[in-house]
Amino acid sequence: MRLQQTAYGLQVLAPAKLNLFLDIRGRRPDDYHDLETVFVAVNLWDELLISSSPRLEFHLEYCGLPLSAGSSRLELKPESNLVLRAARLLWRATGQECGAHIFLRKRIPWEAGLGGGSADAAVALAGLNRWWNCGLTQPQLLELAAELGSDVPFFLAQSPLAIGRGRGEILTPCQLARKLHFVIVKPETGLSTAAVFRELSPGIPPVDLSQFLVPLERGLLSCAAQRLHNRLLDPAQKLSPAVAQTRQEFSRIPLLGHTLSGSGTSYFGWCVQRQQADHVAGLLRARGYRRVYVVQSVA
Ligand code: C5P
Protein backbone atom coordinates (compact mmCIF):
# COMPACT_ATOMS: atom_id res chain seq x y z
CA MET A 1 0.00 0.00 0.00
CA ARG A 2 1.26 3.49 -0.82
CA LEU A 3 -0.11 6.61 0.85
CA GLN A 4 0.65 10.07 -0.51
CA GLN A 5 -0.70 13.56 0.11
CA THR A 6 -1.39 15.27 -3.24
CA ALA A 7 -2.79 18.68 -4.24
CA TYR A 8 -6.15 16.93 -4.79
CA GLY A 9 -6.28 15.08 -1.49
CA LEU A 10 -4.95 11.79 -0.20
CA GLN A 11 -3.94 9.16 -2.75
CA VAL A 12 -3.69 5.54 -1.61
CA LEU A 13 -2.57 2.76 -3.93
CA ALA A 14 -3.71 -0.82 -3.34
CA PRO A 15 -1.78 -3.70 -4.93
CA ALA A 16 -3.28 -6.97 -6.14
CA LYS A 17 -2.22 -10.28 -4.60
CA LEU A 18 -1.43 -13.74 -5.90
CA ASN A 19 -1.64 -16.91 -3.84
CA LEU A 20 1.56 -18.86 -4.53
CA PHE A 21 0.43 -21.65 -2.22
CA LEU A 22 -3.05 -22.39 -0.93
CA ASP A 23 -4.02 -25.49 0.98
CA ILE A 24 -7.05 -26.30 3.11
CA ARG A 25 -6.47 -27.32 6.71
CA GLY A 26 -10.06 -28.09 7.69
CA ARG A 27 -13.62 -26.89 8.03
CA ARG A 28 -14.58 -24.38 10.71
CA PRO A 29 -17.77 -24.07 12.73
CA ASP A 30 -18.40 -20.61 11.16
CA ASP A 31 -18.80 -22.18 7.71
CA TYR A 32 -15.37 -21.06 6.56
CA HIS A 33 -12.30 -23.21 5.91
CA ASP A 34 -8.98 -22.92 7.66
CA LEU A 35 -6.28 -22.19 5.13
CA GLU A 36 -2.55 -22.17 4.83
CA THR A 37 -1.65 -19.77 2.07
CA VAL A 38 1.24 -17.64 0.81
CA PHE A 39 0.29 -14.18 -0.44
CA VAL A 40 2.52 -12.04 -2.58
CA ALA A 41 1.61 -8.40 -3.38
CA VAL A 42 2.05 -7.45 -7.04
CA ASN A 43 2.14 -4.11 -8.83
CA LEU A 44 -1.32 -4.07 -10.38
CA TRP A 45 -2.80 -1.13 -8.49
CA ASP A 46 -6.24 0.16 -7.60
CA GLU A 47 -6.14 3.86 -6.73
CA LEU A 48 -8.21 5.52 -4.03
CA LEU A 49 -8.42 9.31 -3.89
CA ILE A 50 -9.85 10.90 -0.76
CA SER A 51 -10.83 14.57 -0.71
CA SER A 52 -13.06 16.93 1.30
CA SER A 53 -16.83 16.65 1.32
CA PRO A 54 -19.41 17.32 4.03
CA ARG A 55 -21.05 13.96 3.18
CA LEU A 56 -19.71 10.48 2.48
CA GLU A 57 -19.63 10.23 -1.30
CA PHE A 58 -18.28 7.40 -3.38
CA HIS A 59 -17.47 7.17 -7.08
CA LEU A 60 -15.93 4.31 -8.90
CA GLU A 61 -14.35 3.91 -12.31
CA TYR A 62 -13.13 0.70 -13.93
CA CYS A 63 -10.78 0.92 -16.93
CA GLY A 64 -11.90 4.49 -17.53
CA LEU A 65 -15.63 3.67 -17.35
CA PRO A 66 -17.78 5.04 -14.52
CA LEU A 67 -19.88 2.32 -12.87
CA SER A 68 -23.21 3.42 -11.51
CA ALA A 69 -25.16 2.24 -8.49
CA GLY A 70 -27.38 0.37 -10.94
CA SER A 71 -24.54 -2.00 -11.85
CA SER A 72 -25.66 -5.59 -11.75
CA ARG A 73 -22.48 -6.55 -9.95
CA LEU A 74 -23.37 -6.66 -6.28
CA GLU A 75 -19.89 -5.84 -5.02
CA LEU A 76 -19.82 -2.68 -7.11
CA LYS A 77 -23.05 -1.32 -5.73
CA PRO A 78 -22.28 1.47 -3.30
CA GLU A 79 -24.31 -0.09 -0.50
CA SER A 80 -22.34 -3.30 -0.54
CA ASN A 81 -18.95 -2.05 -1.59
CA LEU A 82 -16.22 -2.85 0.89
CA VAL A 83 -14.88 0.71 0.72
CA LEU A 84 -18.08 2.08 2.18
CA ARG A 85 -18.23 -0.71 4.74
CA ALA A 86 -14.70 0.26 5.78
CA ALA A 87 -15.75 3.90 6.16
CA ARG A 88 -18.74 2.91 8.29
CA LEU A 89 -16.56 0.70 10.50
CA LEU A 90 -14.39 3.74 11.18
CA TRP A 91 -17.49 5.77 12.01
CA ARG A 92 -18.44 3.11 14.54
CA ALA A 93 -14.93 3.03 16.02
CA THR A 94 -14.74 6.83 16.41
CA GLY A 95 -18.41 7.54 17.18
CA GLN A 96 -18.48 10.25 14.48
CA GLU A 97 -19.99 10.25 11.00
CA CYS A 98 -17.39 12.23 9.05
CA GLY A 99 -17.65 13.13 5.37
CA ALA A 100 -15.26 12.50 2.51
CA HIS A 101 -15.33 12.24 -1.24
CA ILE A 102 -13.86 8.86 -2.16
CA PHE A 103 -12.95 8.11 -5.75
CA LEU A 104 -11.85 4.59 -6.59
CA ARG A 105 -10.08 3.99 -9.89
CA LYS A 106 -10.14 0.22 -10.32
CA ARG A 107 -7.64 -1.68 -12.40
CA ILE A 108 -7.70 -4.98 -10.51
CA PRO A 109 -10.45 -7.12 -12.06
CA TRP A 110 -13.10 -8.59 -9.78
CA GLU A 111 -14.15 -12.24 -9.35
CA ALA A 112 -10.50 -12.81 -10.10
CA GLY A 113 -8.86 -14.20 -6.94
CA LEU A 114 -6.55 -11.16 -7.01
CA GLY A 115 -7.94 -9.63 -3.81
CA GLY A 116 -9.10 -6.40 -5.47
CA GLY A 117 -12.09 -5.80 -3.19
CA SER A 118 -10.01 -6.64 -0.10
CA ALA A 119 -7.19 -4.36 -1.19
CA ASP A 120 -9.68 -1.51 -1.69
CA ALA A 121 -11.11 -2.09 1.78
CA ALA A 122 -7.63 -2.05 3.33
CA VAL A 123 -6.59 1.21 1.65
CA ALA A 124 -9.94 2.77 2.59
CA LEU A 125 -9.34 1.88 6.25
CA ALA A 126 -5.77 3.18 6.27
CA GLY A 127 -6.56 6.24 4.12
CA LEU A 128 -9.66 7.35 6.01
CA ASN A 129 -7.95 6.71 9.36
CA ARG A 130 -5.34 9.26 8.22
CA TRP A 131 -7.82 11.66 6.52
CA TRP A 132 -10.18 11.82 9.50
CA ASN A 133 -7.36 11.75 12.09
CA CYS A 134 -9.04 8.79 13.79
CA GLY A 135 -5.75 7.81 15.43
CA LEU A 136 -6.44 4.07 15.31
CA THR A 137 -3.30 2.01 15.76
CA GLN A 138 -2.16 -0.67 13.30
CA PRO A 139 -3.40 -3.54 15.56
CA GLN A 140 -6.81 -1.80 15.85
CA LEU A 141 -6.99 -1.38 12.07
CA LEU A 142 -6.02 -5.03 11.59
CA GLU A 143 -8.93 -6.06 13.80
CA LEU A 144 -11.37 -4.02 11.70
CA ALA A 145 -9.76 -5.39 8.53
CA ALA A 146 -10.48 -8.99 9.60
CA GLU A 147 -14.16 -8.04 10.06
CA LEU A 148 -14.29 -6.82 6.46
CA GLY A 149 -12.89 -9.98 4.89
CA SER A 150 -10.36 -12.77 5.16
CA ASP A 151 -7.79 -11.20 2.79
CA VAL A 152 -8.10 -7.59 3.99
CA PRO A 153 -5.46 -7.82 6.79
CA PHE A 154 -2.78 -8.90 4.29
CA PHE A 155 -3.17 -5.64 2.37
CA LEU A 156 -3.01 -3.60 5.54
CA ALA A 157 0.03 -5.41 6.92
CA GLN A 158 2.37 -3.95 4.27
CA SER A 159 4.46 -7.10 3.91
CA PRO A 160 5.02 -8.03 0.24
CA LEU A 161 5.11 -11.73 1.13
CA ALA A 162 3.24 -13.38 4.01
CA ILE A 163 1.81 -16.68 5.14
CA GLY A 164 -1.90 -16.48 5.94
CA ARG A 165 -3.52 -18.95 8.31
CA GLY A 166 -7.00 -19.22 9.81
CA ARG A 167 -9.31 -17.68 7.18
CA GLY A 168 -6.17 -16.01 5.83
CA GLU A 169 -6.16 -13.22 8.42
CA ILE A 170 -3.49 -14.65 10.79
CA LEU A 171 -0.35 -13.40 9.12
CA THR A 172 3.33 -14.27 9.32
CA PRO A 173 5.49 -11.92 7.21
CA CYS A 174 8.24 -13.60 5.15
CA GLN A 175 11.39 -12.40 3.46
CA LEU A 176 11.49 -12.15 -0.30
CA ALA A 177 15.03 -12.86 -1.53
CA ARG A 178 14.42 -11.63 -5.09
CA LYS A 179 11.87 -9.76 -7.17
CA LEU A 180 9.33 -12.16 -8.69
CA HIS A 181 7.87 -11.83 -12.20
CA PHE A 182 4.46 -13.09 -13.30
CA VAL A 183 2.00 -12.95 -16.13
CA ILE A 184 -1.67 -13.08 -15.14
CA VAL A 185 -4.67 -13.90 -17.32
CA LYS A 186 -8.18 -13.03 -16.23
CA PRO A 187 -10.68 -15.07 -18.23
CA GLU A 188 -13.86 -13.21 -19.12
CA THR A 189 -16.05 -15.22 -16.75
CA GLY A 190 -15.76 -15.06 -12.96
CA LEU A 191 -16.40 -17.51 -10.13
CA SER A 192 -18.11 -17.18 -6.78
CA THR A 193 -15.68 -17.90 -3.93
CA ALA A 194 -18.41 -19.65 -1.93
CA ALA A 195 -19.24 -21.95 -4.88
CA VAL A 196 -15.59 -22.96 -5.32
CA PHE A 197 -15.21 -23.81 -1.62
CA ARG A 198 -18.44 -25.84 -1.76
CA GLU A 199 -16.99 -27.94 -4.58
CA LEU A 200 -13.93 -29.02 -2.53
CA SER A 201 -13.51 -32.79 -2.22
CA PRO A 202 -13.04 -33.87 1.40
CA GLY A 203 -10.27 -36.13 2.71
CA ILE A 204 -7.37 -35.01 0.50
CA PRO A 205 -4.10 -35.17 2.49
CA PRO A 206 -2.49 -31.78 3.23
CA VAL A 207 0.51 -30.50 1.28
CA ASP A 208 3.57 -29.42 3.26
CA LEU A 209 4.08 -25.65 3.02
CA SER A 210 7.82 -25.80 3.83
CA GLN A 211 8.50 -27.65 0.57
CA PHE A 212 7.45 -24.49 -1.21
CA LEU A 213 8.50 -21.82 1.26
CA VAL A 214 12.07 -22.90 2.06
CA PRO A 215 13.29 -22.74 -1.57
CA LEU A 216 11.38 -19.48 -2.09
CA GLU A 217 13.03 -17.82 0.90
CA ARG A 218 16.44 -19.02 -0.31
CA GLY A 219 15.81 -17.53 -3.75
CA LEU A 220 15.69 -20.97 -5.45
CA LEU A 221 12.87 -19.87 -7.69
CA SER A 222 12.63 -22.76 -10.15
CA CYS A 223 12.54 -25.22 -7.24
CA ALA A 224 9.81 -23.20 -5.47
CA ALA A 225 7.85 -22.72 -8.70
CA GLN A 226 7.61 -26.48 -9.22
CA ARG A 227 5.77 -26.57 -5.89
CA LEU A 228 3.20 -23.90 -6.63
CA HIS A 229 0.00 -25.31 -5.20
CA ASN A 230 -3.64 -24.32 -5.04
CA ARG A 231 -6.16 -26.76 -3.58
CA LEU A 232 -8.97 -24.70 -5.13
CA LEU A 233 -7.72 -25.34 -8.67
CA ASP A 234 -9.61 -28.63 -9.16
CA PRO A 235 -12.97 -27.26 -7.95
CA ALA A 236 -12.47 -24.07 -9.99
CA GLN A 237 -11.74 -26.13 -13.12
CA LYS A 238 -14.85 -28.21 -12.50
CA LEU A 239 -17.00 -25.09 -12.27
CA SER A 240 -15.35 -23.05 -14.99
CA PRO A 241 -14.38 -24.36 -18.43
CA ALA A 242 -12.50 -21.07 -18.89
CA VAL A 243 -10.16 -21.94 -16.00
CA ALA A 244 -9.54 -25.43 -17.41
CA GLN A 245 -8.85 -24.00 -20.85
CA THR A 246 -6.53 -21.30 -19.51
CA ARG A 247 -4.59 -23.92 -17.59
CA GLN A 248 -4.13 -25.89 -20.81
CA GLU A 249 -2.86 -22.78 -22.59
CA PHE A 250 -0.31 -22.17 -19.84
CA SER A 251 0.82 -25.84 -19.98
CA ARG A 252 1.99 -25.29 -23.56
CA ILE A 253 4.21 -22.32 -22.63
CA PRO A 254 7.64 -22.75 -21.02
CA LEU A 255 7.37 -21.15 -17.55
CA LEU A 256 8.85 -21.72 -14.10
CA GLY A 257 5.36 -22.79 -13.00
CA HIS A 258 1.70 -21.82 -13.18
CA THR A 259 -1.50 -22.08 -11.14
CA LEU A 260 -4.77 -20.42 -10.14
CA SER A 261 -4.82 -17.43 -7.77
CA GLY A 262 -7.21 -17.72 -4.81
CA SER A 263 -10.57 -19.09 -5.93
CA GLY A 264 -10.00 -17.77 -9.46
CA THR A 265 -10.66 -17.18 -12.15
CA SER A 266 -7.25 -15.50 -12.61
CA TYR A 267 -4.51 -17.86 -13.63
CA PHE A 268 -0.84 -16.90 -13.50
CA GLY A 269 2.50 -18.02 -14.80
CA TRP A 270 5.78 -17.48 -12.98
CA CYS A 271 8.57 -16.16 -15.18
CA VAL A 272 12.34 -15.91 -14.74
CA GLN A 273 12.43 -12.23 -15.66
CA ARG A 274 10.39 -9.32 -17.00
CA GLN A 275 11.42 -9.97 -20.61
CA GLN A 276 10.03 -13.50 -20.47
CA ALA A 277 6.80 -12.24 -18.87
CA ASP A 278 6.36 -9.69 -21.70
CA HIS A 279 6.95 -12.43 -24.27
CA VAL A 280 4.44 -14.80 -22.62
CA ALA A 281 1.89 -11.99 -22.39
CA GLY A 282 2.26 -11.45 -26.16
CA LEU A 283 1.63 -15.16 -26.79
CA LEU A 284 -1.48 -15.15 -24.61
CA ARG A 285 -2.88 -12.01 -26.25
CA ALA A 286 -2.30 -13.63 -29.64
CA ARG A 287 -4.38 -16.58 -28.42
CA GLY A 288 -7.30 -14.29 -27.76
CA TYR A 289 -6.98 -13.35 -24.07
CA ARG A 290 -7.91 -9.70 -23.59
CA ARG A 291 -7.06 -9.23 -19.94
CA VAL A 292 -3.38 -10.11 -19.59
CA TYR A 293 -1.18 -8.40 -16.98
CA VAL A 294 2.59 -8.44 -16.60
CA VAL A 295 3.40 -7.84 -12.93
CA GLN A 296 6.24 -7.96 -10.41
CA SER A 297 6.24 -8.50 -6.68
CA VAL A 298 6.04 -5.23 -4.77
CA ALA A 299 9.26 -4.24 -2.98
O1 C5P B 1 -14.00 -14.28 2.45
P1 C5P B 1 -15.32 -14.17 1.74
O2 C5P B 1 -16.42 -13.68 2.65
O3 C5P B 1 -15.24 -13.47 0.42
O4 C5P B 1 -15.75 -15.70 1.39
C1 C5P B 1 -16.91 -16.00 0.65
C2 C5P B 1 -17.33 -17.43 0.99
O5 C5P B 1 -16.31 -18.37 0.62
C3 C5P B 1 -17.58 -17.69 2.47
O6 C5P B 1 -18.89 -17.35 2.82
C4 C5P B 1 -17.32 -19.19 2.58
O7 C5P B 1 -18.45 -19.92 2.13
C5 C5P B 1 -16.19 -19.42 1.57
N1 C5P B 1 -14.87 -19.38 2.23
C6 C5P B 1 -14.48 -20.48 2.98
N2 C5P B 1 -13.26 -20.44 3.63
C7 C5P B 1 -12.46 -19.36 3.50
C8 C5P B 1 -12.83 -18.25 2.73
C9 C5P B 1 -14.06 -18.29 2.10
O8 C5P B 1 -15.19 -21.47 3.08
N3 C5P B 1 -11.27 -19.36 4.15
Side-chain angles (χ1 to χ4, degrees):
M1 178 187 317
R2 300 192 176 155
L3 245 120
Q4 194 189 340
Q5 189 66 46
T6 68
Y8 178 85
L10 188 64
Q11 180 202 47
V12 205
L13 295 178
K17 60 87 179 160
L18 293 171
N19 298 87
L20 302 180
F21 180 98
L22 195 162
D23 204 32
I24 307 295
R25 294 291 180 244
R27 218 132 179 202
R28 302 157 51 111
D30 61 5
D31 219 26
Y32 276 77
H33 290 79
D34 273 320
L35 308 179
E36 196 161 46
T37 189
V38 175
F39 297 108
V40 64
V42 294
N43 63 348
L44 173 62
W45 306 97
D46 276 358
E47 182 184 359
L48 197 78
L49 291 163
I50 304 173
S51 56
S52 296
S53 170
R55 293 177 295 119
L56 188 61
E57 292 183 80
F58 180 62
H59 293 278
L60 185 143
E61 182 189 276
Y62 179 65
C63 295
L65 299 173
L67 288 161
S68 71
S71 163
S72 62
R73 299 206 171 262
L74 184 67
E75 74 274 30
L76 296 179
K77 287 186 178 174
E79 66 270 23
S80 59
N81 191 285
L82 280 172
V83 170
L84 286 179
R85 283 189 50 210
R88 294 199 183 102
L89 267 182
L90 282 174
W91 281 358
R92 199 183 72 196
T94 57
Q96 278 193 61
E97 298 196 358
C98 309
H101 182 275
I102 306 172
F103 177 72
L104 176 62
R105 186 172 285 140
K106 275 203 79 63
R107 297 187 191 92
I108 307 171
W110 54 88
E111 291 188 346
L114 299 176
S118 302
D120 300 340
V123 286
L125 272 181
L128 291 170
N129 185 48
R130 168 88 69 93
W131 187 253
W132 288 334
N133 289 318
C134 299
L136 295 194
T137 60
Q138 180 74 352
Q140 287 171 318
L141 288 176
L142 281 167
E143 233 173 78
L144 296 185
E147 275 188 50
L148 287 169
S150 318
D151 291 346
V152 183
F154 169 68
F155 293 101
L156 204 64
Q158 303 265 38
S159 172
L161 186 78
I163 304 170
R165 296 194 174 88
R167 287 188 295 131
E169 82 286 14
I170 303 167
L171 295 166
T172 310
C174 304
Q175 292 301 317
L176 199 49
R178 293 159 62 174
K179 191 183 259 191
L180 311 180
H181 299 270
F182 305 97
V183 58
I184 305 171
V185 161
K186 170 64 182 80
E188 291 308 311
T189 49
L191 270 175
S192 133
T193 304
V196 176
F197 275 95
R198 270 198 305 274
E199 201 64 34
L200 270 170
S201 311
I204 300 176
V207 173
D208 181 7
L209 170 65
S210 65
Q211 304 254 328
F212 169 75
L213 200 61
V214 171
L216 179 68
E217 287 190 312
R218 290 187 185 153
L220 305 170
L221 301 191
S222 54
C223 183
Q226 280 160 32
R227 287 163 183 151
L228 280 172
H229 167 68
N230 188 337
R231 177 51 52 78
L232 300 176
L233 173 59
D234 283 344
Q237 285 193 107
K238 264 195 226 165
L239 292 171
S240 166
V243 169
Q245 194 205 331
T246 306
R247 186 189 180 197
Q248 272 187 5
E249 291 288 357
F250 273 81
S251 310
R252 295 190 199 113
I253 300 172
L255 289 158
L256 289 175
H258 53 91
T259 194
L260 186 78
S261 185
S263 58
T265 52
S266 289
Y267 201 91
F268 67 95
W270 193 341
C271 301
V272 181
Q273 42 170 274
R274 169 73 197 243
Q275 216 180 358
Q276 186 196 10
D278 284 333
H279 175 69
V280 172
L283 291 177
L284 290 161
R285 288 189 188 109
R287 288 175 194 179
Y289 288 102
R290 289 195 307 140
R291 288 193 277 179
V292 181
Y293 309 91
V294 171
V295 298
Q296 291 91 54
S297 54
V298 172

